[in-house]
Amino acid sequence: MNDLIYIELANDQAEYDNANEIIKLGAKLEMLPDKGQQWTDDETSKIINLNYKMFDLKSEAMILFDNLLNWVNKELIDQKLDLILQYYQDEINMLHRQSPVWYQLFSDYCDELKLLEKQNLKLMNKAEFIKFYLKHQDPNTPEFTFAKAYYTYQKCAPEQYYYYF
């Protein structure tokens, strides 16, 4: 194996560990009262600490994955997917270098969009895709773990309180 493959595997092992930790933190957050309820000082402190821990686990690759999903979703309104992917090819290549699993998850999203586009069906937004993916993907794959971490982060992260996932 060459050094690049070792680096990619090491990067994805760290990503995988972070994804599992995000899922665990999300489970802890879900045991606390809902966002709309009045929190005690102790609950507020726990929520803030868990959110900070979760935020610290969000990697550059996860941020790039999220950005690519957002860009594709925004551009799909008036452009074809192939043109969008050409435009963002540098970012897509960067995602592949940073994390092959995040890249695979993004590729799976694009493949699903292409299939829906070809059949003239309604295209999925990122939230619909992640929910679909979690329902249909083998839970024993790294892609499932990353998708679940992404879903958990989107659902629980403090900057997402105004974003319904």
Side-chain angles (χ1 to χ4, degrees):
M1 244 189 245
N2 67 33
D3 290 340
L4 183 59
I5 293 173
Y6 281 122
I7 291 169
E8 287 178 349
L9 292 174
N11 285 348
D12 267 354
Q13 183 60 53
E15 293 282 342
Y16 185 76
D17 294 343
N18 288 351
N20 278 313
E21 191 61 29
I22 288 170
I23 293 166
K24 289 177 191 172
L25 292 171
K28 289 179 183 178
L29 279 167
E30 287 192 359
M31 290 190 291
L32 295 168
D34 288 337
K35 297 172 189 165
Q37 294 181 0
Q38 193 70 348
W39 296 322
T40 65
D41 288 344
D42 185 47
E43 290 168 338
T44 301
S45 178
K46 284 180 186 175
I47 290 166
I48 290 169
N49 288 335
L50 290 171
N51 278 317
Y52 276 127
K53 287 178 185 176
M54 189 179 287
F55 183 79
D56 288 341
L57 293 168
K58 189 174 181 183
S59 68
E60 287 182 28
M62 186 177 179
I63 292 167
L64 183 54
F65 171 77
D66 184 46
N67 287 341
L68 282 165
L69 291 182
N70 289 331
W71 294 330
V72 166
N73 276 224
K74 181 181 172 208
E75 304 281 337
L76 274 174
I77 294 169
D78 57 356
Q79 289 189 49
K80 291 284 186 191
L81 181 62
D82 288 336
L83 292 174
I84 298 167
L85 297 178
Q86 284 176 349
Y87 184 80
Y88 291 109
Q89 192 58 55
D90 290 343
E91 289 82 1
I92 294 166
N93 291 340
M94 185 185 311
L95 180 62
H96 188 254
R97 285 190 305 275
Q98 288 181 357
S99 170
V101 177
W102 282 118
Y103 171 80
Q104 184 59 52
L105 192 55
F106 179 73
S107 294
D108 290 347
Y109 177 55
C110 292
D111 290 345
E112 192 64 35
L113 288 177
K114 287 176 187 175
L115 180 65
L116 293 170
E117 196 175 61
K118 188 176 180 180
Q119 297 173 352
N120 290 324
L121 296 173
K122 179 184 176 286
L123 302 180
M124 287 187 216
N125 65 35
K126 69 179 189 177
E128 292 167 331
F129 171 73
I130 294 296
K131 290 174 186 176
F132 171 83
Y133 200 84
L134 291 172
K135 187 175 180 180
H136 298 285
Q137 179 69 18
D138 177 0
N140 298 316
T141 63
E143 291 84 359
F144 179 88
T145 303
F146 281 44
K148 186 164 182 163
Y150 182 76
Y151 175 81
T152 301
Y153 189 90
Q154 292 294 318
K155 192 173 158 193
C156 298
E159 68 266 23
Q160 301 303 329
Y161 279 4
Y162 309 104
Y163 187 76
Y164 296 103
F165 206 84

